[in-house]
Amino acid sequence: MRSKATLKQIAKELGVSVSTVSKALNGSPEISEPTKQRVQEYAKLKNYKPNVIGLNLKNRKTKTIGVIIPNILNSFFAKVFSGIEKVADEKGYKVITCISNESSEKEINALEMLSNGTIDGFILSIAEESQKLQKFDHFTTIINEGTPIVMFDRIADEVNCDKVIVDDFESAVNATEHLIKTGCIKIALLSAIDNLSVGKLRAQGFYKSMVDNGLKVDENLVILTNNNDEFNSKIGDFFIKNKPDGVFALDEHASVTAMKLGIQNGYKIPQELSIIGFADGVWSRRMTPSLSTVSQHGPEIGEVAAQMLIDKLESSEETFTFSTTTIKTELRQRDSTRKL
């Protein structure tokens, strides 16, 4: 998809206001014919295709939000969606949901399909493939055409839009520190999401906490992989060979797998092996022993993202500033960690 000029860029190049560009592209009688013609010709030259719905947010009528999530099986995304739907319903908006299934192509198709006037704006978390390829032009194109986007959890710093994130780095620092305070010194770092931005931030937090607490990271205790299959192939005899006394797992699959293998290999949990997982689905509470987790407050993320988007849609402003909201996580101590 080719990148198109924004209203702001056109206004700057032609030496007029954003409001003048918007009105000229809409054919407003307030703008002189020569100015209209100049703006419209320049917009065409710069690959800007006027979108009647997109040019003026206050005139949007669909009252529908498009939500694109990467994985329908991930309980975190389900919780975020519940928050989005709650606020949307309260504000009188409908929600259309698409699943990218971690595919950049499906993500692009969903954006194109829904941005033709079906929806007013998007709330989304970036597909794994898009992050791996660092491919974000499709988001910029949609925004430039006048459809606002709010990103959550997996975001792209290169895309200028509102974002809702959790404190992945700090929460990893705190979770690792908790393991250290309970007496763990041989702490394993396990991840099946190392190709995702959130996975990298969590890993960085682990390393910082270890260094700050005077502990050397044993690289034999570190497994950083990009998917569940790769993780499974490396975790097999991990506990037998390395004998960690603590585990910080960066995603639900790594968390649950570590717990199962620890038990299978005869570890007493938490007396001999403490585990904290960056996940808070139903498995965390139903396992025996129950799994201590970093909770991301998914519903709150969804509520904040929905409110940010609706505020944009209902604003009379034609130019916007963008902000990033950070939701604080919570360490939920259950039976897989020793009590302080």
Side-chain angles (χ1 to χ4, degrees), residues 240-253:
I240 298 172
K241 290 173 60 178
N242 298 292
K243 304 192 183 320
D245 59 14
V247 169
F248 181 41
L250 306 189
D251 59 278
E252 189 162 45
H253 179 77

Side-chain angles (χ1 to χ4, degrees), residues 175-188 206 209-210 213-216 221 243-248 268 270-276 336-340:
T176 306
E177 188 169 287
H178 181 82
L179 289 171
I180 294 169
K181 285 180 178 178
T182 62
C184 299
I185 56 174
K186 291 187 64 178
I187 304 174
F206 167 82
S209 185
M210 293 287 282
N213 284 277
L215 294 177
K216 182 173 173 30
L221 296 175
K243 304 192 183 320
D245 59 14
V247 169
F248 181 41
K268 293 179 181 178
Q271 294 90 340
E272 298 174 336
L273 179 68
S274 291
I275 302 174
I276 295 178
S336 68
T337 47
R338 294 190 290 273
K339 308 302 180 189
L340 286 175

Side-chain angles (χ1 to χ4, degrees), residues 78-197:
K79 289 182 178 182
V80 174
F81 181 75
S82 72
I84 294 171
E85 195 168 49
K86 177 177 179 288
V87 171
D89 186 59
E90 290 172 353
K91 300 292 184 178
Y93 282 76
K94 300 182 292 295
V95 177
I96 295 177
T97 309
C98 292
I99 314 298
S100 69
N101 202 27
E102 306 292 8
S103 162
S104 183
E105 182 181 0
K106 288 184 178 179
E107 189 172 67
I108 291 171
N109 290 341
L111 284 167
E112 291 181 339
M113 176 182 69
L114 296 178
S115 64
N116 63 358
T118 303
I119 54 92
D120 296 346
F122 288 101
I123 299 172
L124 59 87
S125 188
I126 300 176
E128 176 184 325
E129 186 179 21
S130 296
Q131 286 207 315
K132 181 179 179 181
L133 299 173
Q134 291 290 289
K135 185 176 180 180
F136 308 126
D137 286 351
H138 47 297
F139 302 122
T140 303
T141 298
I142 294 298
I143 293 168
N144 288 346
E145 290 178 345
T147 303
I149 290 176
V150 176
M151 292 182 174
F152 71 89
D153 190 48
R154 304 183 198 169
I155 63 169
D157 292 333
E158 300 89 332
V159 180
N160 200 16
C161 67
D162 289 315
K163 303 175 177 84
V164 185
I165 60 174
V166 298
D167 55 337
D168 288 287
F169 179 84
E170 285 301 323
S171 57
V173 169
N174 295 335
T176 306
E177 188 169 287
H178 181 82
L179 289 171
I180 294 169
K181 285 180 178 178
T182 62
C184 299
I185 56 174
K186 291 187 64 178
I187 304 174
L189 175 66
L190 307 179
S191 173
I193 56 167
D194 192 50
N195 55 332
L196 300 181
S197 57

Side-chain angles (χ1 to χ4, degrees), residues 128 131-132 189-204 207 222-228 230-231 234 250-251:
E128 176 184 325
Q131 286 207 315
K132 181 179 179 181
L189 175 66
L190 307 179
S191 173
I193 56 167
D194 192 50
N195 55 332
L196 300 181
S197 57
V198 293
K200 294 183 186 303
L201 285 169
R202 295 168 193 175
Q204 289 166 13
Y207 276 93
V222 176
I223 296 180
L224 300 177
T225 63
N226 295 336
N227 55 66
N228 294 349
E230 185 184 355
F231 181 81
K234 292 187 176 183
L250 306 189
D251 59 278

Side-chain angles (χ1 to χ4, degrees), residues 48-71:
Y48 185 96
K49 296 180 181 178
N51 180 334
V52 174
I53 293 175
L55 287 169
N56 199 344
L57 294 179
K58 65 186 177 183
N59 290 332
R60 292 181 182 271
K61 302 293 183 184
T62 73
K63 298 281 282 189
T64 303
I65 294 170
V67 177
I68 304 176
I69 59 177
N71 186 342

